[in-house]
Amino acid sequence: MKYRSLFLMFCVVFSVTLCVAVCGDDDDDSDSGAFSPEDDDDDYLPSDDDEDDDDFFDDDDGDDDDDNDDDDDDDNSDRLLIDPENVGYYDAVKTTMIFPDPVSAQDKEVDVFFPTTDGETICTDFGLRPAVIFAPDINLKKNLYESYGTHLATWGYLTIIRNNFRTGAESLADLNSDIIDWLMEGIQNPDSIFYEAMDMNKIIAAGHGLGGKVAVLGFREERIRATIAIDPNDEITLFSGDYSVTPDLMSFIDIPGQYFGAEVGGDCVPEDENYTQFYNSANSPAWEYTMLATGHHGFVDNPNCLACQCEKGTADLNAVKKMTRGLMIAFLNVRIRHWEEFEFYLSGVGVDQDVNDGKLMFRNK
């Protein structure tokens, strides 16, 4: 009886082991392909077993001196493809930090959103992080754009969102340069959260309204490699200063630009100063997306805020913001990281579907 029990136990263990091995092989085969756009596995993180992925997340590829060319410096057909509207590969953490403003000689708060796997530090397992500096619209605060910072961070982009604590578009553009200097000090300081965590050759300026105009002015800062302008406004006001960008300065811009616009501009963004004027005057490469039935303040996280007095539109604004964030990721993945498979979402079939569904209009050059 004793030996029979031992024999039966051996058979059971052997059968279970064999079953696990067979099932494990099947799972490995199915996981070797790309994610479909419908896959919503938000918890995916790049695996250490994905040898080719190391090339994608390692930005030391010899092409850092010229990230604005059209060369594809990443050639990996095995990377798992996730719809950029969905949460990306990482968890996101928000922390508020003190930026010592050299102009006012005062400490100013900025919100920093970063990708992480441990909830505490910036994940650099697959290379240094690109950085996005995001500027709000006139009279609006940084807390109205937290969904953008969070989403960018889940896709591996360290994001700094600040308030407009200077006056005038030119001065605000200089503020972005000062923030870059601050970040560069951080990557060399072992006590900083930024220490050896960022790729300073991959910095992006982004913003909404006046912040969009300020982002476009980033062309004056050689360390900025791309701009994203959400319903930018070139109108001259007391706060924005007497500094016109379009069409006056657009011919000098030689970095990729992405322009979002609200179909329902209203009085807040005059037609002769809006996103279309930026795009029309922009050099190639440039992308323009008109969000249908959307107003200027339809892009913020809380369009009903006390200061949000511009048009909101009648569209599903949560869907509009989700599309906008997804298109931003597609743009950055293609133009900054050279992940060409995301062209599907930037200007390919993915965008065509949104056009056919009556959600947006699109053109590029």
Side-chain angles (χ1 to χ4, degrees):
M1 180 67 68
K2 175 179 179 182
Y3 293 103
R4 179 180 301 177
S5 299
L6 290 174
F7 176 77
L8 289 175
M9 182 179 298
F10 172 80
C11 290
V12 169
V13 170
F14 178 80
S15 299
V16 170
T17 302
L18 180 61
C19 180
V20 168
V22 172
C23 293
D25 287 341
D26 287 342
D27 285 342
D28 288 342
D29 290 342
S30 63
D31 286 344
S32 63
F35 266 90
S36 70
E38 291 76 27
D39 195 309
D40 58 0
D41 182 5
D42 294 339
D43 295 326
Y44 168 72
L45 288 172
S47 168
D48 290 336
D49 296 332
D50 295 333
E51 295 180 0
D52 288 336
D53 273 354
D54 289 345
D55 293 334
F56 281 103
F57 288 91
D58 181 4
D59 291 328
D60 185 16
D61 51 29
D63 193 46
D64 286 343
D65 292 335
D66 188 10
D67 279 333
N68 298 322
D69 58 29
D70 292 329
D71 294 336
D72 181 2
D73 64 350
D74 296 319
D75 184 17
N76 178 2
S77 59
D78 294 332
R79 187 194 298 103
L80 299 178
L81 184 62
I82 304 174
D83 188 330
E85 290 187 5
N86 294 332
V87 173
Y89 304 128
Y90 304 95
D91 292 328
V93 167
K94 171 197 168 187
T95 184
T96 299
M97 300 183 65
I98 297 300
F99 164 71
D101 180 23
V103 172
S104 66
Q106 296 178 346
D107 289 342
K108 302 292 186 180
E109 289 187 349
V110 296
D111 290 339
V112 178
F113 301 79
F114 62 86
T116 185
T117 55
D118 62 12
E120 297 180 355
T121 60
I122 299 172
C123 178
T124 58
D125 291 350
F126 300 93
L128 303 180
R129 297 292 113 208
V132 178
I133 303 174
F134 193 104
D137 194 11
I138 189 171
N139 296 327
L140 299 187
K141 300 297 184 181
K142 55 185 172 60
N143 65 299
L144 291 171
Y145 302 93
E146 290 189 1
S147 70
Y148 294 88
T150 299
H151 193 69
L152 285 161
T154 70
W155 280 91
Y157 296 93
L158 186 144
T159 306
I160 298 92
I161 305 182
R162 57 162 180 78
N163 286 326
N164 291 322
F165 41 79
R166 295 183 189 172
T167 300
E170 187 175 12
S171 178
L172 289 168
D174 292 339
L175 171 57
N176 282 353
S177 295
D178 291 335
I179 289 177
I180 295 173
D181 291 339
W182 174 63
L183 293 174
M184 293 192 72
E185 292 175 3
I187 65 175
Q188 301 174 63
N189 180 359
D191 295 327
S192 171
I193 192 175
F194 304 131
Y195 181 59
E196 296 184 343
M198 286 177 296
D199 186 346
M200 300 308 290
N201 291 305
K202 289 181 169 66
I203 298 177
I204 304 96
H208 172 228
L210 173 61
K213 175 179 180 175
V214 170
V216 174
L217 280 172
F219 80 91
R220 305 182 314 164
E221 168 58 71
E222 63 181 7
R223 294 171 293 184
I224 291 177
R225 299 305 183 94
T227 62
I228 300 174
I230 301 174
D231 211 26
N233 184 0
D234 197 34
E235 185 178 16
I236 302 299
T237 67
L238 182 63
F239 187 86
S240 67
D242 186 16
Y243 201 89
S244 178
V245 175
T246 178
D248 312 68
L249 302 178
M250 297 298 290
S251 62
F252 296 102
I253 300 177
D254 60 356
I255 57 178
Q258 186 182 42
Y259 303 92
F260 294 92
E263 183 189 31
V264 188
D267 297 332
C268 287
V269 186
E271 287 188 11
D272 58 350
E273 306 286 0
N274 71 0
Y275 70 100
T276 294
Q277 307 308 319
F278 281 85
Y279 176 83
N280 288 342
S281 304
N283 291 321
S284 175
W287 292 257
E288 179 195 70
Y289 305 88
T290 302
M291 298 304 186
L292 300 181
T294 302
H296 180 66
H297 280 162
F299 291 100
V300 302
D301 288 349
N302 177 16
N304 297 314
C305 75
L306 186 61
C308 299
Q309 299 300 312
C310 297
E311 295 282 348
K312 281 80 169 177
T314 58
D316 180 344
L317 298 183
N318 286 330
V320 167
K321 284 174 282 193
K322 186 175 182 179
M323 282 191 295
T324 302
R325 295 190 298 260
L327 289 165
M328 291 169 66
I329 296 298
F331 171 72
L332 294 174
N333 283 354
V334 171
R335 297 305 308 183
I336 297 299
R337 284 167 155 170
H338 305 285
W339 294 357
E340 297 302 329
E341 65 268 35
F342 283 90
E343 188 70 45
F344 175 93
Y345 299 101
L346 178 64
S347 55
V349 176
V351 175
D352 292 341
Q353 184 62 55
D354 288 333
V355 172
N356 293 336
D357 290 343
K359 298 177 181 178
L360 57 81
M361 295 187 294
F362 162 73
R363 56 179 177 159
N364 69 322
K365 57 184 175 181

